[in-house]
Amino acid sequence: MSWIREGELTIIERFCANIIKAGPMPKHVAFIMDGNRRYAQKCHVERQQGHSQGFDKLAQTLRWCLNLGIREVTVYAFSIENFKRSKEEVDGLMDLARQKFSRLLEEQENLKKHGVCIRVLGDLPLLPVDIQELIAQAVLATRNYNKCFLNVCFAYTSRHEISNAVREMAWGVEQGLLEP
């Protein structure tokens, strides 16, 4: 499935969008990709299928955001904590990431049409090298687009992000780029 689904909204989606548009519209929304395993268990499907269907719902949600004029979306996709899951599940999630970032690279015309800049945040060296390369290609391919932004948090934790930010700020002070 495409990252940004094309096509018209259903009548119910248009109705809901019009109600939402009547009020103040956020400029930035964030989604935590959580509950895919519980969904799979509830629906009696394999975990991997639950994760895949979670991505499909994300693609639908991104279309809604685009339609509503929400310019920035952050998706918390894969926490560092997720590496503690079974090898089978982590490998399945990495395969899903490979598929989806490869698909993203195939959709460059669609991304250009909508002006979507992809940014990936997290401790990327923790990821397999081939996924790091796919991510780098996607980020580079869309770096000049600025109509809307899709931030994908991958291999992240808030603690890790804060400590990295503090390290970078300390480096900036050492280099004379920042005032203490």
Side-chain angles (χ1 to χ4, degrees):
M1 168 163 292
S2 172
W3 278 72
I4 300 173
R5 293 173 56 184
E6 290 292 327
E8 291 296 314
L9 297 177
T10 67
I11 192 161
I12 298 291
E13 290 171 330
R14 282 196 310 271
F15 176 74
C16 292
N18 286 332
I19 290 171
I20 292 170
K21 286 178 181 178
M25 190 60 56
K27 292 175 177 36
H28 183 191
V29 296
F31 301 99
I32 299 171
M33 299 296 291
D34 189 32
N36 294 328
R37 291 188 302 172
R38 288 186 298 278
Y39 172 82
Q41 186 177 18
K42 180 180 173 187
C43 294
H44 307 290
V45 298
E46 294 292 321
R47 279 185 184 163
Q48 192 58 29
Q49 187 175 349
H51 291 301
S52 187
Q53 289 180 7
F55 176 83
D56 293 346
K57 185 52 72 176
L58 170 66
Q60 187 177 25
T61 304
L62 292 175
R63 182 182 69 157
W64 295 335
C65 290
L66 198 59
N67 181 271
L68 290 169
I70 298 170
R71 290 188 37 134
E72 189 162 0
V73 175
T74 298
V75 177
Y76 291 91
F78 187 87
S79 163
I80 289 174
E81 298 295 315
N82 293 146
F83 282 115
K84 295 177 183 176
R85 295 181 179 184
S86 72
K87 180 179 178 353
E88 178 186 1
E89 187 172 3
V90 171
D91 288 348
L93 288 166
M94 292 300 127
D95 287 342
L96 185 62
R98 278 183 195 90
Q99 291 170 24
K100 299 311 177 184
F101 278 104
S102 293
R103 178 65 191 253
L104 187 66
L105 291 169
E106 295 168 8
E107 296 179 358
Q108 288 187 42
E109 282 305 310
N110 198 17
L111 294 170
K112 182 178 182 179
K113 172 182 159 187
H114 295 291
V116 180
C117 177
I118 306 293
R119 299 184 287 207
V120 182
L121 312 161
D123 196 353
L124 302 184
L126 295 176
L127 301 172
V129 173
D130 64 319
I131 295 176
Q132 291 178 47
E133 290 170 356
L134 288 169
I135 288 170
Q137 289 173 34
V139 169
L140 287 172
T142 63
R143 72 183 178 273
N144 294 322
Y145 305 152
N146 61 6
K147 287 183 189 168
C148 41
F149 301 89
L150 175 60
N151 306 311
V152 181
C153 299
F154 213 32
Y156 71 91
T157 64
S158 58
R159 219 176 263 133
H160 192 77
E161 294 302 311
I162 291 168
S163 63
N164 276 350
V166 169
R167 260 195 291 310
E168 286 183 24
M169 287 171 37
W171 178 83
V173 169
E174 280 178 9
Q175 300 297 313
L177 302 170
L178 295 173
E179 293 288 323

